[in-house]
Amino acid sequence: MHKKLSYKFLFLFIIISCFSANSQVLRKRTTLLMGGRFDISIVAKDSLTAEQNINEVIAEITRIENLISDWKPTSQVSEVNQNAGIKPVKVDREVFELTQRALKLSEITKGGFDVSFAAMDRIWKFDGSMTEMPSAEAIKKSVEKVGYKNIILDSVQSTIFLKLKGMKIGFGALGEGYATDKCRAMMIAKGIEAGIINGSGDMSTWGKQPSGQPWKIGITNPFKPEKVLAIVPLNGGAVTTSGSYEKFVVFNGKRYSHIINPATGYPATGLCSVTVFGPDAETANGLSTSMMVLGKNEGLLLLQKFPNYSCLMITDNGKVIKSKNFSIKKFTAKL
């Protein structure tokens, strides 16, 4: 699922100890899915079992991509978009419920996150070609077709209707997290005791490495990309990072992120990185993106509504901020 609109940028990686203390083996594969990179690591009793389950994970992610990608013309989400302003479209319950959750997050953030952001005009350029800010009029016009309040869901009929012609919904800020969560649940149901699925930085983990050690997540220093800001051990759960340290512009001394506020059309400012930890990657993904847009104060207020999630923020001036409920032990961070 391609993300032509740069709604987030992720910079997490896995630190793996390959020593096996209990005859289990770790197998890892990297592939391109949903328009991005997936790193799939499975711990199993033997190599064949691990590889077979990696194949199943890839098949499941492909199934989800074909269902929800707004860049695949045959997907159900594309059908919804093609019928914007025309008629409701019946979708699978899975697609309906994912849209329902996305719409709820849109409501909670008052449009800081908006599942209809896919209709936004791409007037901001972060490839070095911009020499001045777009006009206020152009910015206002760029979000005319964005608006979660114009999405009508019918739970009985399982339909989605976009009221305005030209509207689009997209899951570029939730899709990978949703896919990694689904695959984790599938593997656990099959009796696979440990693994980690990393979809472009949206990670769902369970169990431990063959060495008996927890999975360790490295977070890149946004000001020194060649260095690690922090190494965080995870005993299950999920982690996602949204950030803007590679794609931004500066006008009149102010830094504008490539992550655009879908409610205003203006880039996010103030934060260059937000990492969210919690039970599932879909929610963590939505929260990290939303918090980048909302900024430090409103972002921390939003997180309070999700007590099972904690965060690590880095401001544009290099300050590291942890939420009050951040309780990961053996955590070190150095800019």
Side-chain angles (χ1 to χ4, degrees):
M1 179 173 54
H2 300 288
K3 292 170 286 185
K4 297 290 185 181
L5 174 61
S6 297
Y7 208 37
K8 62 174 184 170
F9 187 85
L10 303 150
F11 38 102
L12 294 167
F13 57 92
I14 312 164
I15 300 170
I16 295 177
S17 166
C18 293
F19 172 74
S20 176
N22 54 5
S23 299
Q24 289 186 316
V25 299
L26 169 68
R27 287 293 177 267
K28 179 180 177 182
R29 198 183 307 171
T30 297
T31 186
L32 294 177
L33 294 162
M34 295 181 126
R37 171 175 164 166
F38 270 76
D39 296 292
I40 304 162
S41 303
I42 296 291
V43 177
K45 60 183 180 181
D46 56 64
S47 297
L48 180 60
T49 301
E51 293 292 347
Q52 288 174 338
N53 281 283
I54 288 175
N55 289 339
E56 290 193 25
V57 167
I58 290 173
E60 175 67 358
I61 297 168
T62 301
R63 181 192 70 82
I64 293 170
E65 180 178 12
N66 289 332
L67 204 59
I68 69 172
S69 172
D70 57 313
W71 292 97
K72 287 184 176 291
T74 57
S75 75
Q76 291 189 8
V77 166
S78 288
E79 186 180 356
V80 169
N81 293 341
Q82 290 158 10
N83 285 279
I86 300 172
K87 65 177 182 179
V89 173
K90 188 175 182 63
V91 297
D92 290 357
R93 201 68 194 177
E94 179 180 5
V95 177
F96 182 88
E97 291 177 354
L98 177 60
T99 306
Q100 197 172 41
R101 292 192 298 273
L103 189 56
K104 183 177 180 181
L105 183 60
S106 301
E107 292 168 347
I108 290 173
T109 61
K110 299 178 181 177
F113 173 94
D114 196 317
V115 67
S116 69
F117 76 92
M120 190 185 302
D121 293 335
R122 282 67 161 169
I123 62 171
W124 294 86
K125 309 294 182 185
F126 299 92
D127 56 4
S129 63
M130 286 186 71
T131 57
E132 60 182 7
M133 284 183 62
S135 67
E137 182 180 353
I139 293 171
K140 183 179 179 180
K141 183 174 173 48
S142 72
V143 294
E144 280 183 348
K145 296 173 183 176
V146 178
Y148 66 92
K149 292 181 180 180
N150 290 313
I151 301 173
I152 308 298
L153 303 183
D154 185 328
S155 183
V156 175
Q157 300 296 325
S158 191
T159 61
I160 303 172
F161 178 48
L162 310 181
K163 289 171 64 176
L164 305 179
K165 202 164 184 64
M167 278 189 73
K168 294 179 182 179
I169 58 172
F171 293 100
L174 293 179
E176 286 90 346
Y178 172 68
T180 64
D181 289 338
K182 287 282 287 185
C183 291
R184 175 179 61 181
M186 180 178 71
M187 289 293 100
I188 291 173
K190 286 195 61 183
I192 299 300
E193 295 182 0
I196 183 164
I197 302 171
N198 174 12
S200 299
D202 299 337
M203 297 185 188
S204 294
T205 76
W206 71 103
K208 294 183 178 180
Q209 300 183 56
S211 63
Q213 295 296 313
W215 300 108
K216 294 179 181 178
I217 307 303
I219 303 174
T220 300
N221 184 331
F223 299 102
K224 299 175 182 177
E226 72 282 1
K227 295 186 178 180
V228 175
L229 164 68
I231 297 175
V232 183
L234 290 180
N235 291 304
V239 56
T240 71
T241 290
S242 295
S244 61
Y245 77 99
E246 282 193 343
K247 294 183 179 181
F248 60 91
V249 292
V250 178
F251 292 122
N252 299 321
K254 189 172 184 178
R255 190 174 181 273
Y256 293 90
S257 160
H258 76 294
I259 298 177
I260 309 296
N261 185 334
T264 65
Y266 283 85
T269 61
L271 297 173
C272 66
S273 169
V274 177
T275 301
V276 174
F277 303 85
D280 70 80
E282 178 193 327
T283 302
N285 193 349
L287 288 172
S288 63
T289 300
S290 300
M291 294 169 76
M292 278 291 298
V293 170
L294 295 174
K296 181 187 73 173
N297 295 333
E298 288 191 48
L300 290 173
L301 287 174
L302 170 66
L303 197 66
Q304 290 178 11
K305 299 177 181 179
F306 297 82
N308 292 326
Y309 293 80
S310 61
C311 81
L312 176 74
M313 295 177 168
I314 304 171
T315 67
D316 284 346
N317 59 14
K319 185 177 181 181
V320 177
I321 300 167
K322 294 181 284 187
S323 59
K324 290 182 179 179
N325 63 342
F326 188 91
S327 60
I328 295 174
K329 296 178 181 179
K330 298 181 180 179
F331 168 80
T332 57
K334 185 177 181 181
L335 284 172

